[in-house]
Amino acid sequence: MGEILKYLEQQFYHIFNTTPDVIVKAPGRVNIIGEHTDYNHGYVLPMALEQGTYIAGKKRDDSHLNFYALNTNRQSIADLNYPSRNPIDPWMDYIMGVSYELRKSGYKLSGMDGIIVGDVPMACGLSSSASLEMAVLKLFEALGNFIIDDVESAKLGQRVENEFLGLKSGIMDQFISRCGKEGHALFLDCRSLEYELIPIDIPEHTFVIANTNCPRGLTGSKYNERVLECNDALNTLNFVFKKSGTHLRDFTLQELIEIKDKMNPISFKRAYHVLTENNRVLSCIEALKQGNIKKVGDLLNESDYSLQKDYEVTNRELEVMTDIARNIEGCKGSRMTGAGFGGCTINLVETKYVESFIHKLIDKYNNITGRNGSCIISYPSEGAKILKIFS
Ligand code: GLA
């Protein structure tokens, strides 16, 4: 940790010729189970990663947001008073989006100079964007001397996605990036926003994240399409049962199955995934508490089949990678994680096989797809925080 702080301080000095006021960090996340359930008011079980987005920032006297992204070597300047999208440097949209939402909520902000660096692989289903949003929010809080409640912070981040960026995503990514706890996954009820920390201490087993390194293509539009399909299923359920539910959570799997013939078959499949996935999250929590590792692995596999067959958010690379993984010694279960359409898988692997698992997985994946996969192992980590305040 000391090294990254020193690096940011040096880079800040190099670019702005002064020391920053503060350095903040917010983590990426991996979702263990509970995929595409959050915007249906269902259950999710993500954990925060050690990898995250770091920002060193200093208050300015004017309203300029002057940021430098070290990963891409790009500098971009915007004005708080003129919120707009930035097609050339889209990472700037997250900074502008957070400031826009804060100002809408009545916070008085000043401009700032900042440098950003991150080690969450981008566009891979590990929430690099939510980690940027939550780091930016922490920075505004630190420099503006105010603190926003954790749940409100996650909601604000979700509004940035839904309203400023037009992606109809749920609240999982921002919530875990803000509220993650070391050594724990977070079991979140996306309806009540109540959560329980679940210790991730599976004896002799490790979660291995594997990246297909396959660009995600069309994620935004396909994602919003799934949201609409869930909504269509909801409308039919409401119509047939003469109810006024607001989300799929308002109906049981039994009710859905009962009216299968009256529903558009695509919408039925989407809703079927969502309601069965909610049950899998609950079973997974039980299995984790009981130390039933085989059951956890089976649930990961079942979740993945449902995402392949019913929700249809996998692609060839994801399917190849999970299929290879399941056939490697020591792997108890494997599934795609995050929005899908490319990105990463999460694998539960016996710790003594982790090294050979990674080696075999990457090798076979490369033979079949011609792509270079890569793996990450991360201890469950802390949510957004201030790392250093300079006096
Ligand atoms: C993306 C969204 C989340 C969630 C997942 C799928 O990460 O940002 O809100 O819907 O996809 O589970």
Side-chain angles (χ1 to χ4, degrees), residues 29 31 33-40 44 125-127 130 158 161-162 167-174 216 219 223 227 273 277 307 311 335-340:
R29 64 103 186 90
N31 191 16
I33 197 163
E35 219 63 87
H36 288 278
T37 47
D38 59 353
Y39 51 85
N40 291 299
V44 293
L126 300 179
S127 289
Q158 189 189 10
E161 298 279 346
N162 294 174
L167 185 72
K168 300 294 170 207
S169 52
I171 199 163
M172 166 171 70
D173 305 347
Q174 291 78 11
R216 276 195 310 192
T219 316
Y223 187 99
V227 177
H273 162 75
E277 183 79 348
L307 288 156
Y311 219 68
R335 62 179 285 275
M336 58 145 275
T337 185

Side-chain angles (χ1 to χ4, degrees), residues 27-256:
R29 64 103 186 90
V30 65
N31 191 16
I32 297 173
I33 197 163
E35 219 63 87
H36 288 278
T37 47
D38 59 353
Y39 51 85
N40 291 299
H41 275 187
Y43 303 119
V44 293
L45 185 66
M47 68 184 203
L49 300 175
E50 287 163 80
Q51 290 77 5
T53 302
Y54 300 80
I55 312 181
K58 191 178 190 73
K59 214 166 162 168
R60 289 174 63 104
D61 295 332
D62 58 18
S63 56
H64 291 166
L65 298 172
N66 180 13
F67 276 84
Y68 198 96
L70 290 173
N71 292 69
T72 47
N73 258 324
R74 295 279 310 169
Q75 184 166 18
S76 188
I77 303 178
D79 191 323
L80 275 171
N81 295 322
Y82 301 98
S84 62
R85 298 282 297 271
N86 184 334
I88 297 166
D89 289 300
W91 51 274
M92 206 52 194
D93 289 347
Y94 296 100
I95 301 168
M96 188 46 99
V98 169
S99 72
Y100 173 74
E101 285 300 332
L102 278 171
R103 279 160 48 103
K104 246 178 45 191
S105 306
Y107 290 94
K108 299 247 171 307
L109 306 181
S110 56
M112 54 174 90
D113 292 326
I115 59 170
I116 306 173
V117 71
D119 56 0
V120 185
M122 279 181 253
C124 288
L126 300 179
S127 289
S128 57
S129 332
S131 83
L132 173 56
E133 281 157 12
M134 291 299 102
V136 170
L137 179 58
K138 231 337 141 216
L139 184 65
F140 276 115
E141 288 177 275
L143 296 182
N145 246 329
F146 58 87
I147 293 176
I148 302 189
D149 163 84
D150 285 343
V151 174
E152 284 312 311
S153 301
K155 284 185 176 169
L156 187 143
Q158 189 189 10
R159 287 202 298 278
V160 172
E161 298 279 346
N162 294 174
E163 290 163 32
F164 198 74
L165 300 167
L167 185 72
K168 300 294 170 207
S169 52
I171 199 163
M172 166 171 70
D173 305 347
Q174 291 78 11
F175 206 99
I176 182 66
S177 182
R178 177 75 181 204
C179 302
K181 283 283 165 289
E182 204 178 325
H184 293 80
L186 190 149
F187 166 40
L188 175 66
D189 177 340
C190 299
R191 166 147 278 179
S192 64
L193 297 184
E194 279 167 6
Y195 67 90
E196 183 187 342
L197 294 170
I198 309 288
I200 292 297
D201 175 21
I202 312 177
E204 289 157 29
H205 285 75
T206 304
F207 281 116
V208 177
I209 300 165
N211 191 346
T212 59
N213 282 321
C214 169
R216 276 195 310 192
L218 286 180
T219 316
S221 57
K222 287 277 176 207
Y223 187 99
N224 285 349
E225 189 181 288
R226 292 295 175 278
V227 177
L228 288 176
E229 288 160 348
C230 289
N231 215 36
D232 182 64
L234 175 69
N235 287 339
T236 308
L237 283 159
N238 273 329
F239 179 76
V240 178
F241 288 106
K242 299 190 175 40
K243 277 174 70 170
S244 44
T246 56
H247 294 79
L248 285 177
R249 175 75 177 277
D250 289 306
F251 292 91
T252 62
L253 184 58
Q254 210 49 47
E255 286 173 313
L256 177 71

